[in-house]
Amino acid sequence: MKALIKNLSTLTDCLTFYIEDSMARGQSNATVSTKNNLLLMFIRWALIQKITRIQEIDLYVMEDYRKCVSAYRKPKNNEPLSIVTQAQRLIALTTFLDRMFYYDVITDNYFAKFELPRTGRRLPKFVPDEEQIELIINQTLVKGKIGIRDRAILEMYYASGARRSELANMDIRHVDAKKLTATIRKGKGGYDRTVPIVQRTIDALNDYLDNIRPELATSESGDAIFLGMTGKRILSSKLTELVGGYVRRSGVAEEGACHLLRYATGTHMLQNGADIRYVQEQLGHEDISSTQLYALVSIRDLKRVHAKTHPFSNKFSPQ
């Protein structure tokens, strides 16, 4: 490895090494793919600036890239990238440079001075209540046979609180119908976790596995629990399209998809008395500060509780 690292120079060679290193450290395929895509954006920009070697990057180059990211406008609506998206692109670069510094490919940690955008913690714009979740799930009833598969997907999302990629990567063997659990392999951070689900989810899964999956399955299906129309493992992007379609069809919200159900899982568990540590484990949050977002009471709930409990809530103002 020493000889390989000693010869690393071009940005493309460094990226190849970095991606292999990330995979060797057990990072998930989704994480590695995102890193690769974000860094390719930087490399394309660098090539336009006639920068091809990692040793040519310095703090001034990074600041120029920041300005480019900030000035970019989306082709569809001419709007800038969100501050979160901007931060993601810059974090990908600093993390990459930090790893190259670790291996002595570069010998200066100038990137430590680079200030990243402050994004803060974003609350979900909307979290459906339990009745609205039922309304979303029940939209599958008008979809015929494929609706049986889709209901199983929605039930699994809401019961497990899984992320989109986690559900796409789930295999049949990862669900234990007797113990009412689902094992999520290589979630965010590369960790496995086993979470409880409910009997109605198992019932929906059994309906799908017995009656629909055999019709979809091909030699390329493997052990994937959820299959697309081609018989291959369903894609994460298809899950977004599928869930988002049911959300809009229900009239519950105009936007939102897989993460909407995940937000609902965490929020409803907390509202019904779950300890935040258990919700953290259910959702697979490495940092409990992520789970604490779900514990923030919405203004609607606060107003309802205030009306019921404040001593002056039912009294008229003095004349």
Side-chain angles (χ1 to χ4, degrees):
M1 180 182 281
K2 286 185 178 180
L4 172 63
I5 293 173
K6 187 176 180 180
N7 292 325
L8 286 177
S9 175
T10 68
L11 288 171
T12 50
D13 286 345
C14 289
L15 176 58
T16 299
F17 174 80
Y18 176 64
I19 292 302
E20 291 175 351
D21 177 67
S22 297
M23 294 178 68
R25 285 184 288 143
Q27 295 180 0
S28 68
N29 291 337
T31 297
V32 172
S33 177
T34 298
K35 285 184 172 184
N36 185 66
N37 292 336
L38 293 175
L39 288 170
L40 281 175
M41 293 177 190
F42 169 74
I43 290 175
R44 294 189 193 104
W45 172 85
L47 290 175
I48 295 173
Q49 316 307 312
K50 302 188 184 306
I51 297 171
T52 60
R53 300 173 64 250
I54 194 167
Q55 289 79 9
E56 295 172 328
I57 303 175
D58 57 22
L59 200 57
Y60 300 102
V61 171
M62 296 180 72
E63 289 295 349
D64 285 343
Y65 184 56
R66 183 207 299 275
K67 292 175 183 177
C68 174
V69 171
S70 176
Y72 179 81
R73 293 296 181 270
K74 302 174 187 177
K76 288 185 177 180
N77 52 23
N78 201 39
E79 291 184 357
L81 300 173
S82 71
I83 194 66
V84 173
T85 300
Q86 292 182 43
Q88 287 174 337
R89 296 191 183 189
L90 298 175
I91 290 170
L93 177 58
T94 57
T95 305
F96 167 63
L97 293 173
D98 184 51
R99 199 61 180 169
M100 293 300 100
F101 179 70
Y102 171 84
Y103 279 115
D104 294 324
V105 176
I106 55 177
T107 57
D108 185 2
N109 68 338
Y110 57 84
F111 52 86
K113 298 179 182 178
F114 187 72
E115 294 184 5
L116 295 165
R118 298 183 65 178
T119 59
R121 292 281 185 176
R122 292 188 303 166
L123 287 171
K125 295 180 181 178
F126 167 74
V127 179
D129 59 28
E130 295 174 36
E131 290 184 0
Q132 290 170 322
I133 290 292
E134 290 283 9
L135 186 59
I136 293 170
I137 291 175
N138 286 339
Q139 300 308 306
T140 60
L141 296 174
V142 300
K143 288 288 187 175
K145 286 187 175 182
I146 203 63
I148 296 175
R149 179 203 64 179
D150 296 351
R151 184 181 187 92
I153 288 173
L154 296 178
E155 292 277 3
M156 179 58 78
Y157 264 131
Y158 183 54
S160 67
R163 297 178 177 89
R164 180 183 70 163
S165 60
E166 293 171 344
L167 196 74
N169 292 329
M170 194 176 289
D171 289 342
I172 295 174
R173 67 180 183 277
H174 295 154
V175 176
D176 191 319
K178 292 183 178 179
K179 295 181 179 179
L180 293 180
T181 60
T183 298
I184 295 171
R185 299 293 308 279
K186 291 188 177 180
K188 195 169 184 179
Y191 299 106
D192 296 348
R193 68 183 188 279
T194 298
V195 299
I197 52 177
V198 294
Q199 185 59 51
R200 62 176 276 173
T201 303
I202 294 297
D203 294 341
L205 278 173
N206 286 338
D207 192 11
Y208 158 67
L209 292 173
D210 292 343
N211 301 306
I212 306 303
R213 190 183 184 279
E215 295 184 10
L216 295 174
T218 68
S219 59
E220 298 181 278
S221 300
D223 197 31
I225 192 166
F226 294 117
L227 305 178
M229 299 305 293
T230 63
K232 297 179 181 178
R233 182 184 299 276
I234 197 165
L235 299 175
S236 294
S237 57
K238 179 63 180 177
L239 286 173
T240 297
E241 178 185 333
L242 183 153
V243 179
Y246 285 120
V247 169
R248 290 188 294 274
R249 183 184 180 91
S250 71
V252 166
E254 293 182 359
E255 59 182 25
C258 308
H259 221 66
L260 196 68
L261 300 184
R262 176 173 162 82
Y263 277 137
T265 302
T267 301
H268 296 170
M269 287 178 67
L270 286 166
Q271 287 175 340
N272 289 322
D275 185 280
I276 195 169
R277 294 286 179 181
Y278 292 117
V279 179
Q280 179 187 12
E281 180 66 22
Q282 182 83 29
L283 300 179
H285 287 152
E286 294 182 76
D287 189 337
I288 199 168
S289 64
S290 298
T291 319
Q292 286 168 342
L293 284 179
Y294 295 72
L296 296 176
V297 181
S298 69
I299 186 63
R300 181 184 61 193
D301 292 334
L302 182 57
K303 287 175 69 176
R304 186 180 70 246
V305 173
H306 184 274
K308 288 182 177 180
T309 61
H310 195 280
F312 286 174
S313 63
N314 295 316
K315 293 184 179 181
F316 295 105
S317 59
Q319 299 297 322

